[in-house]
Amino acid sequence: MQVLRTLSAAALFAIAGAGASLACGMASFVDADPRALYATQISSVDGAIVTDESVTLTVTFDVASGGWTDPQLVPVTYFVQPWDGVYEIYAMAIPPEGVATDALVPMTATIEMPLIEGVTGWRIIADQGCVTLLLDGSMLPEGGDGCTVQSLTVS
């Protein structure tokens, strides 16, 4: 009977813990191709306002070797808006399956992102570094975020 009581208590704690994490809300998820890996580093980020409701981001990044395919910018989907208004995007591609040249190779990917209320910018993340693209007039909290910071002017 003691084993049953212990199991029941453990089950209650597990259920309570799961409920608490759901009550706080899961921060985010990423819907990426499971074969994709992070780009090595970001070379450049360019942004252009398409309409009053969206911006196009074009990112050039390096991958570790030749033979990579499907360069992509994978946005994080948030259930609750990020506290700083900066949305994360991962620079990714699919690595080669076989032997490939051993040199950094540039790739380019483009994504259109919505300009919703509360957005202050986007943080594009690679394996070795990141770039934060801030909308004109937006500021990072004191101390920054450890990324290279660029500004995008909204006209």
Side-chain angles (χ1 to χ4, degrees):
M1 193 57 136
Q2 181 63 32
V3 172
L4 208 51
R5 216 176 277 148
T6 304
L7 269 173
S8 297
L12 285 173
F13 283 118
I15 291 168
S21 69
L22 290 174
C24 294
M26 295 176 67
S28 62
F29 74 91
V30 177
D31 187 19
D33 185 320
R35 300 170 298 159
L37 298 176
Y38 288 110
T40 303
Q41 60 193 22
I42 297 170
S43 303
S44 69
V45 176
D46 294 310
I49 303 296
V50 177
T51 68
D52 291 342
E53 299 173 355
S54 67
V55 62
T56 297
L57 304 176
T58 301
V59 179
T60 301
F61 52 83
D62 295 329
V63 291
S65 66
W68 288 60
T69 59
D70 195 20
Q72 52 195 293
L73 297 173
V74 182
V76 173
T77 300
Y78 291 88
F79 295 106
V80 177
Q81 186 173 38
W83 65 274
D84 59 359
V86 178
Y87 286 75
E88 292 184 348
I89 300 171
Y90 298 120
M92 304 181 87
I94 298 173
E97 291 183 21
V99 178
T101 59
D102 189 23
L104 290 178
V105 176
M107 300 184 94
T108 300
T110 300
I111 190 170
E112 189 169 327
M113 296 298 294
L115 280 173
I116 58 175
E117 185 176 338
V119 170
T120 59
W122 298 270
R123 185 175 298 113
I124 298 89
I125 300 170
D127 186 46
Q128 298 174 13
C130 52
V131 173
T132 299
L133 183 63
L134 293 173
L135 291 172
D136 190 33
S138 299
M139 297 178 65
L140 287 172
E142 190 172 321
D145 62 0
C147 300
T148 303
V149 178
Q150 292 181 216
S151 183
L152 174 64
T153 303
V154 179
S155 50

